[in-house]
Amino acid sequence: MDRGPLDRWRPRLFLAVALAVVATFGTLGASHWQPGARDIDALGLGLALVGPVVLLALPRRPVLAVLLAVGAVGTYLALGYAWGPVLGGTVGVLVMVLLTGPAARARVVAWSGAVLMWGVVVGAAALRDEGTRVGGLLGGAAWTAVALLVATGIRERLARAAAWRAARADRERTAVATERLRIARELHDVLAHSLSAINVQAGVGLHLLDRDVEQARSALASIKTTSRDALDEVRAVLGVVRGEGDAVEGTGDGVPVASSDAPEPRTPTWDLAALPRLAEPLRARGVTVHFDVDPALLPPGAVPAHLAGVAYRVVQEALTNVGRHASRARRVVVRVARDGDVLQVTVDDDGGPVGTHDADAVGYGLRGMRERVEGAGGTLHAAPGARGFAVAAAIPLDLSGPGAPQPDPAPDNSERSELSGPRTGIREPGPDNSRRNA
């Protein structure tokens, strides 16, 4: 609803009282200093107070308020009462109209009322016995226009301020909703992967409890490790929610931990060197997970931290879905490579076609993956392929931002994981080396 500053009763009451005081004492003074004018009496004083009264009583009926105020001032002047502040009451009504209700209607009524007012004043002046004060009439009309222009500027300024506040509130609501969605995705990724791994390991432990105590103990140890890592990740996410001053750094295995020396983070970060730990639940089930990651992408800073986090989460969710939905899968291939200015991430399994994994009918996991990738300006394709389910993400690399990859970075040969090693030793010959277009 289009409301003006005088739609509230307190400012309107203040203006009406001020005008009433000025009209009363000003009219009495003007009558004293204009001997030729008619002496002020109850009728004249009542006509002088019509403007302040209608200003307070008729804010929702601007046309009637203007007609009453203009009629009262015309009658006052035609009866021969003294010139003076009586005109201020009518101008106050015009200002009230301009600052009340819808702006477009207020402008039309106020300026039309100003023209009517001065037409009536000129007519009333012509009926008086004294000479017409042309200079005074022109000056009064000019001051009326100035008052209306000032009121118009005040209303427009207040309207711009209100629009700015509304836009800021809308941006804040959007930012809050976006942050909630991001946190929900983080927690979903952490909990879905970790609980799926714990479920698999618990099943293995129960199955081997009576036949192979050592293997059962190993499964329980894996459960402990997985749950501890999940708690660390959840604490990292919740630390950002609480706005704690401690930042989140990566440990040697890519798990985020708190650091009191680092600046406050916007979100926990993961690096591509942490990808092998995501395969532990599948390997506990006997599934072979092969990583084909370009060693040039592994050094710190080779890929911007937020893009590495997107790639990490895509691989995490894809492997979690393999464990949950592809019970026949025996081999999964994860590829991460740079293709020009694009980071290509693919995850293929051989679990056979799964009709329920449709790109247009996905659950929260695939939806979260798609939102993450598209939020980074990339594209995601996830659909059943010839041998199983395939996920392919293309993420543009921000080459101008901090942490952008440098030309021909040299990998650190002193600390190689299963992802690094010689370039010729991380690819396997055969059909698995070609990227499937799902």
Side-chain angles (χ1 to χ4, degrees):
M1 183 178 181
D2 192 2
R3 294 174 59 86
L6 291 186
D7 279 304
R8 297 183 295 274
W9 68 272
R10 290 181 185 274
R12 196 167 61 248
L13 175 62
F14 175 80
L15 180 60
V17 171
L19 288 176
V21 172
V22 171
T24 300
F25 292 98
T27 300
L28 293 174
S31 178
H32 176 75
W33 291 103
Q34 297 180 33
R38 178 176 174 175
D39 292 336
I40 193 70
D41 52 17
L43 175 61
L45 194 59
L47 290 172
L49 292 176
V50 169
V53 170
V54 299
L55 186 152
L56 185 62
L58 299 174
R60 299 291 181 268
R61 305 185 68 179
V63 176
L64 179 59
V66 169
L67 292 177
L68 289 175
V70 171
V73 74
T75 304
Y76 175 94
L77 294 176
L79 291 177
Y81 291 107
W83 295 86
V86 65
L87 299 175
T90 306
V91 175
V93 171
L94 297 177
V95 170
M96 180 271 294
V97 169
L98 197 56
L99 298 179
T100 305
R105 185 195 69 176
R107 284 193 296 269
V108 172
V109 175
W111 286 100
S112 300
V115 173
L116 176 63
M117 169 188 167
W118 285 100
V120 170
V121 168
V122 170
L127 297 177
R128 298 168 68 99
D129 294 335
E130 61 195 33
T132 303
R133 304 178 178 183
V134 178
L137 294 177
L138 292 177
W143 278 111
T144 301
V146 169
L148 294 184
L149 289 173
V150 170
T152 301
I154 291 174
R155 174 148 195 174
E156 291 178 350
R157 183 181 181 89
L158 293 175
R160 287 194 298 269
W164 181 83
R165 288 193 299 269
R168 183 179 64 177
D170 185 65
R171 289 194 299 270
E172 290 175 352
R173 287 192 297 268
T174 301
V176 168
T178 302
E179 186 67 6
R180 285 175 177 172
L181 179 60
R182 186 193 66 77
I183 293 169
R185 285 199 300 260
E186 292 285 352
L187 292 177
H188 172 273
D189 291 343
V190 172
L191 296 177
H193 176 78
S194 301
L195 293 178
S196 176
I198 290 172
N199 178 65
V200 171
Q201 292 158 354
V204 173
L206 288 174
H207 181 69
L208 298 175
L209 184 61
D210 296 329
R211 295 185 296 175
D212 193 334
V213 177
E214 289 301 324
Q215 288 293 333
R217 182 179 292 112
S218 176
L220 293 176
S222 297
I223 291 175
K224 180 180 179 180
T225 301
T226 302
S227 59
R228 183 191 65 229
D229 293 345
L231 287 174
D232 289 341
E233 295 190 38
V234 170
R235 288 193 190 101
V237 175
L238 296 182
V240 177
V241 176
R242 290 192 297 265
E244 295 177 344
D246 292 343
V248 178
E249 292 182 338
T251 63
D253 58 357
V255 180
V257 296
S259 171
S260 58
D261 298 329
E264 182 178 353
R266 292 290 301 183
T267 180
T269 57
W270 290 263
D271 54 60
L272 298 180
L275 291 178
R277 59 187 292 268
L278 300 176
E280 293 174 3
L282 291 178
R283 287 170 176 167
R285 292 174 43 182
V287 179
T288 300
V289 181
H290 174 70
F291 289 91
D292 181 6
V293 180
D294 186 348
L297 301 176
L298 297 179
V303 178
H306 66 289
L307 299 182
V310 172
Y312 181 94
R313 289 307 192 191
V314 168
V315 174
Q316 182 182 51
E317 182 60 31
L319 294 180
T320 300
N321 286 341
V322 171
R324 295 174 61 187
H325 304 294
S327 58
R328 294 183 293 172
R330 291 296 175 264
R331 179 176 174 81
V332 180
V333 178
V334 178
R335 296 184 180 89
V336 182
R338 178 179 172 181
D339 182 9
D341 294 339
V342 178
L343 184 66
Q344 300 285 353
V345 181
T346 60
V347 181
D348 299 332
D349 68 72
D350 61 353
V354 184
T356 57
H357 283 199
D358 182 64
D360 297 324
V362 297
Y364 290 108
L366 289 180
R367 183 191 307 172
M369 274 199 294
R370 188 178 304 280
E371 290 172 350
R372 282 180 183 278
V373 174
E374 292 178 352
T379 58
L380 178 81
H381 184 66
R387 299 171 57 244
F389 200 76
V391 175
I395 307 170
L397 291 171
D398 184 8
L399 299 179
S400 61
Q406 303 299 323
D408 299 324
D412 185 2
N413 295 326
S414 62
E415 297 181 359
R416 293 187 183 273
S417 68
E418 67 176 282
L419 296 180
S420 53
R423 186 64 178 166
T424 58
I426 62 174
R427 293 186 180 273
E428 296 181 1
D432 288 334
N433 287 330
S434 61
R435 180 166 308 171
R436 286 203 313 261
N437 294 322

